[in-house]
Amino acid sequence: MISSPMARRLRLCVVAGLVATGSWVAPALAADAMATGGLTSQPIGHYDFCRLNPGECSIRPTNLAPTPMTDGLMRKLISVTAKVNAAVKPMSDMEIYGKDEVWAYPDKGVGDCEDYVLEKRRELSRMSISLADLLITVVRKPDGEGHAVLTVRTDKGDYVLDNLTDKVRPWDQTGYRFLKRQAIDNTGRWVSIRGGQQVLVGSVQ
């Protein structure tokens, strides 16, 4: 992740230019939708988050159709990704809280991967995107380390918002192994993806 002030400003200027000129064009080839399995275990960090924020983990969206992919939606995804990635300084849970696997909003300007996800999800939800289409997702990076990203469900396939890049990519072009994500019909439940396995998700690298 680019962290210098100048690099962050340049990154935001490029994104702002894309948004202002409307020059973003959605990919000609749509992404595929993830194939999900049955209910699976809730990550321990999300379990603790839900104990502290029960109202956020008992939402049952009524409209389960994927959100329409438009140029306007893609501009929102790009803008929110760059904004949150620039605003939050990457720090591990151990550095912040003195323990692992604490999921929290990065209201103090620091956090690790799942904290970026929570903030992006909150901002996009405020833009009237359904929580059925904003799903916290656990993956394994190519180096084997656990990681969390935000999956955005659209009628053109599933896209990923990541704190390790400002690019909004189709999920199957990330190089990650997808393990589990929130269920679309209940914000407190999780479903498997391609038979994944338990993994810690505290990466900030």
Side-chain angles (χ1 to χ4, degrees):
M1 177 178 172
I2 301 174
S3 58
S4 72
M6 178 59 73
R8 288 182 178 180
R9 283 196 295 272
L10 289 173
R11 175 172 57 198
L12 288 173
C13 287
V14 169
V15 173
L18 286 172
V19 173
T21 62
S23 62
W24 174 265
V25 178
L29 296 177
D32 291 326
M34 288 182 203
T36 57
L39 292 176
T40 189
S41 57
Q42 183 181 21
I44 184 62
H46 191 246
Y47 173 82
D48 290 337
F49 174 81
C50 289
R51 284 196 302 110
L52 296 174
N53 305 275
E56 295 205 26
C57 299
S58 57
I59 299 169
R60 299 191 177 189
T62 54
N63 181 5
L64 302 182
T67 193
M69 172 54 81
T70 63
D71 288 351
L73 174 62
M74 183 57 79
R75 286 194 292 270
K76 288 179 181 179
L77 301 184
I78 293 171
S79 177
V80 168
T81 295
K83 175 185 173 183
V84 175
N85 285 357
V88 179
K89 178 183 177 180
M91 289 182 65
S92 70
D93 290 331
M94 188 61 67
E95 292 174 302
I96 302 170
Y97 304 106
K99 59 181 180 178
D100 288 324
E101 289 301 286
V102 178
W103 293 29
Y105 289 107
D107 293 332
K108 295 182 179 179
V110 295
D112 66 357
C113 57
E114 65 272 0
D115 306 336
Y116 287 84
V117 171
L118 287 169
E119 183 60 27
K120 291 171 186 175
R121 180 173 172 267
R122 177 165 66 176
E123 293 209 13
L124 290 168
S125 177
R126 288 171 175 169
M127 297 177 182
S128 300
I129 300 174
S130 171
L131 290 177
D133 300 320
L134 300 172
L135 306 172
I136 307 169
T137 305
V138 173
V139 304
R140 191 181 295 280
K141 298 193 298 181
D143 63 6
E145 187 173 18
H147 186 45
V149 297
L150 182 66
T151 296
V152 180
R153 294 173 65 239
T154 82
D155 61 356
K156 300 300 183 184
D158 294 343
Y159 289 81
V160 164
L161 279 58
D162 194 342
N163 67 297
L164 301 183
T165 177
D166 286 349
K167 294 180 180 179
V168 175
R169 298 177 293 181
W171 74 279
D172 52 3
Q173 295 180 24
T174 61
Y176 296 148
R177 180 185 175 198
F178 285 73
L179 304 176
K180 62 175 73 176
R181 75 181 189 189
Q182 286 178 295
I184 66 173
D185 60 348
N186 189 322
T187 56
R189 293 185 176 180
W190 287 67
V191 294
S192 62
I193 304 169
R194 295 182 175 178
Q197 56 186 296
Q198 290 285 72
V199 61
L200 292 176
V201 293
S203 169
V204 298
Q205 299 280 320

